[in-house]
Amino acid sequence: MITYCLERDTLLFSLKMALVVGMLLAVINHGQALLTGHFTPGELLPACLIYCVPFAVSMYSQVQGKRQRDLSPTKPSVPNERREIETAQYEKLE
């Protein structure tokens, strides 16, 4: 599980999600204080923790998806004949 968490693409996606969703949550929760200038140092820790929630959710969902993908038996989603036809059609387009 830790190996999945430390994969570069998993970390980058989780960080991006944390920044986007965390920013929205921070604006919703602390926007009024920021706009009026009443943002106190006591609100800094809760504002930073807001970014941890989307990071953790994104990381957890990606790890579970990757684990499920790797643990499931491999079976083709498209029958072999159909896959060959689609491949041949794609090669004609190139």
Side-chain angles (χ1 to χ4, degrees):
M1 192 164 166
I2 293 173
T3 304
Y4 291 123
C5 290
L6 297 177
E7 288 179 3
R8 180 181 168 92
D9 62 332
T10 304
L11 281 172
L12 287 177
F13 184 80
S14 296
L15 286 172
K16 289 176 187 177
M17 289 303 293
L19 287 175
V20 172
V21 177
M23 185 64 67
L24 291 171
L25 291 173
V27 168
I28 290 169
N29 292 328
H30 300 286
Q32 186 69 28
L34 289 170
L35 289 175
T36 60
H38 292 98
F39 191 81
T40 63
E43 293 177 89
L44 187 59
L45 181 62
C48 291
L49 290 176
I50 287 173
Y51 293 90
C52 295
V53 173
F55 178 81
V57 170
S58 178
M59 181 69 73
Y60 178 78
S61 63
Q62 286 188 85
V63 167
Q64 290 303 319
K66 289 180 178 189
R67 285 183 65 219
Q68 189 175 27
R69 176 199 64 201
D70 292 346
L71 293 175
S72 68
T74 57
K75 54 183 173 182
S77 59
V78 179
N80 287 333
E81 292 176 15
R82 184 174 172 195
R83 184 178 295 129
E84 290 172 3
I85 293 170
E86 290 174 354
T87 304
Q89 290 173 344
Y90 179 75
E91 288 173 354
K92 285 181 185 178
L93 294 174
E94 292 180 336

